[in-house]
Amino acid sequence: MTPRFAATAVAHSNIALIKYWGKLPISGNYPAVPSLSLTLDALRTRTRVTFDSQYSQDEFELDGKRVLERPLQRVSSLLDAIRSLASLEYFAKVVSSNNFPTASGLASSASGFAALAVAATHAAGLNLEPAAISSLARACSASSARSIHGGWASLDAGADSANALDSGQNWDVVLIVAVTDPGPKAIGSTQAMIRCADTSPYFAAWVETAPVLFARACGALHHRDLDALGRCMEESTWRMHATMLTAVPAVVYISPITLAIINEIRSRRSASVPAYFTTDAGPHVKVLTMAEHAAAVRSWLTQIPGVTDTIICKPGPAAFVETPVTEGHTA
Ligand code: DP6
């Protein structure tokens, strides 16, 4: 028998209402702007990490397929940080599955790196606070820092780790995902945001104005003012996409169906059925409303040609470990 340390963790995806888009011009993957998100119960990644003295390299399997190159390097960089903290020299096998389309703007890297950070730190025998795990995840993919927490979370500009703001259990909001095209995105968000920073004339304005919008959104969340929060979310969405559309070459994640959904929401919402949209690095649209209006809003969405699925998401839990800290541990 060989030394072996394993753990399985589950993390839920999060969608930013106030977007992280752009990095500080220093190493370490620090966000240039503050962001505010909701962790979602219906979208999750489950990841098993096994460190084993017999492995000769890291291996990464996602949804049943072996993954190489850049995604594997990103996984290995997080494992390296954890190996160094734990003084562990073994390579690892990482087996991960998403219950939603990967790399298509549904924040799979957020839940993915959060689940990996939790599983790998536990498998390595580290007993870290959520802030330390959030920091490890952030260094690989900043949005994943927020998925360590359940409910509402924020990540300040330049911050090491995300903040847990509210469990989300006392306010019945839902985010309804209108899935349009589950195909992978043309350009990853990391490259896209670097291109926006380097080439969009609007990027400086985006960074300069983000803190005020973030503060407005946090105030709206504090007062449970859905209308104010939803409007902040839409402003952040359009400003982020403005930097994308004005990058060279332009980064275009929105599709005609994305716009059709947005137009439908704008024309059908009312004081009695409030609904607000956002869209990220992919064509899907996420709609914020109250749980009592979820069925009505879903029926609007399902009637739009090109909407292939709708997923009603409530506030989700913090990332957690499914197995004991170590198992099959035989020296
Ligand atoms: C549009 O967290 O994927 O979803 O730090 O380079 O891995 P990296 O970027 P990533 O960017 C997410 C961007 C977004 C907005 C958000 O989640 O805040």
Side-chain angles (χ1 to χ4, degrees):
M1 296 288 268
T2 59
R4 215 159 180 263
F5 307 89
T8 301
V10 172
H12 289 76
S13 184
N14 74 76
I15 293 297
L17 287 82
I18 300 298
K19 308 295 182 184
Y20 149 57
W21 191 251
K23 301 162 192 295
L24 287 184
I26 54 172
S27 65
N29 201 39
Y30 291 95
V33 292
S35 55
L36 169 69
S37 63
L38 183 63
T39 297
L40 306 177
D41 70 340
L43 308 180
R44 60 111 191 102
T45 300
R46 174 176 282 109
T47 296
R48 179 165 184 78
V49 174
T50 308
F51 291 102
D52 191 316
S53 63
Q54 297 239 301
Y55 297 153
S56 55
Q57 57 186 8
D58 290 329
E59 278 183 31
F60 177 32
E61 186 183 302
L62 178 58
D63 290 333
K65 291 194 193 108
R66 181 100 181 258
V67 180
L68 301 166
E69 299 173 350
R70 177 85 186 121
L72 174 62
Q73 286 162 15
R74 293 182 83 186
V75 164
S76 283
S77 77
L78 182 44
L79 293 172
D80 284 343
I82 290 165
R83 279 187 280 251
S84 146
L85 277 176
S87 301
L88 185 68
E89 290 185 344
Y90 307 153
F91 288 107
K93 182 164 184 180
V94 175
V95 179
S96 205
S97 62
N98 293 329
N99 71 343
F100 59 94
T102 298
S104 67
L106 288 180
S108 56
S109 72
S111 51
F113 282 101
L116 177 63
V118 173
T121 49
H122 278 76
L126 293 168
N127 188 14
L128 301 180
E129 293 293 320
I133 301 176
S134 176
S135 169
L136 285 163
R138 191 242 345 116
C140 288
S141 187
S143 57
S144 70
R146 300 182 311 236
S147 271
I148 297 301
H149 302 299
W152 299 95
S154 67
L155 180 64
D156 295 333
D160 215 38
S161 59
N163 309 305
L165 297 180
D166 186 300
S167 72
Q169 298 310 309
N170 300 314
W171 193 28
D172 279 343
V173 299
V174 291
L175 260 184
I176 306 177
V177 180
V179 179
T180 62
D181 173 4
K185 52 191 165 192
I187 170 172
S189 43
T190 304
Q191 283 75 31
M193 68 175 78
I194 291 169
R195 187 190 295 171
C196 292
D198 289 347
T199 64
S200 168
Y202 293 174
F203 191 78
W206 156 255
V207 173
E208 193 187 318
T209 60
V212 170
L213 189 53
F214 173 75
R216 262 174 58 203
C218 290
L221 174 62
H222 182 72
H223 293 292
R224 297 194 185 154
D225 182 340
L226 186 77
D227 184 57
L229 184 60
R231 287 181 191 283
C232 290
M233 178 174 81
E234 293 186 357
E235 283 178 44
S236 181
T237 303
W238 285 130
R239 287 185 201 178
M240 177 180 75
H241 282 275
T243 73
M244 296 172 177
L245 296 174
T246 51
V248 183
V251 175
V252 186
Y253 288 122
I254 49 179
S255 72
I257 301 165
T258 311
L259 291 175
I261 300 168
I262 289 172
N263 287 338
E264 192 74 3
I265 295 299
R266 288 172 61 151
S267 65
R268 296 189 79 149
R269 68 184 170 199
S270 63
S272 53
V273 185
Y276 306 89
F277 61 85
T278 189
T279 179
D280 292 281
H284 319 293
V285 179
K286 298 98 184 180
V287 182
L288 180 71
T289 187
M290 298 305 297
E292 63 189 294
H293 304 305
V297 174
R298 174 184 248 174
S299 78
W300 303 347
L301 295 169
T302 51
Q303 287 165 36
I304 302 169
V307 172
T308 56
D309 195 10
T310 52
I311 308 165
I312 297 178
C313 304
K314 296 185 189 137
F320 60 92
V321 180
E322 276 198 329
T323 52
V325 173
T326 57
E327 60 177 40
H329 178 182
T330 51

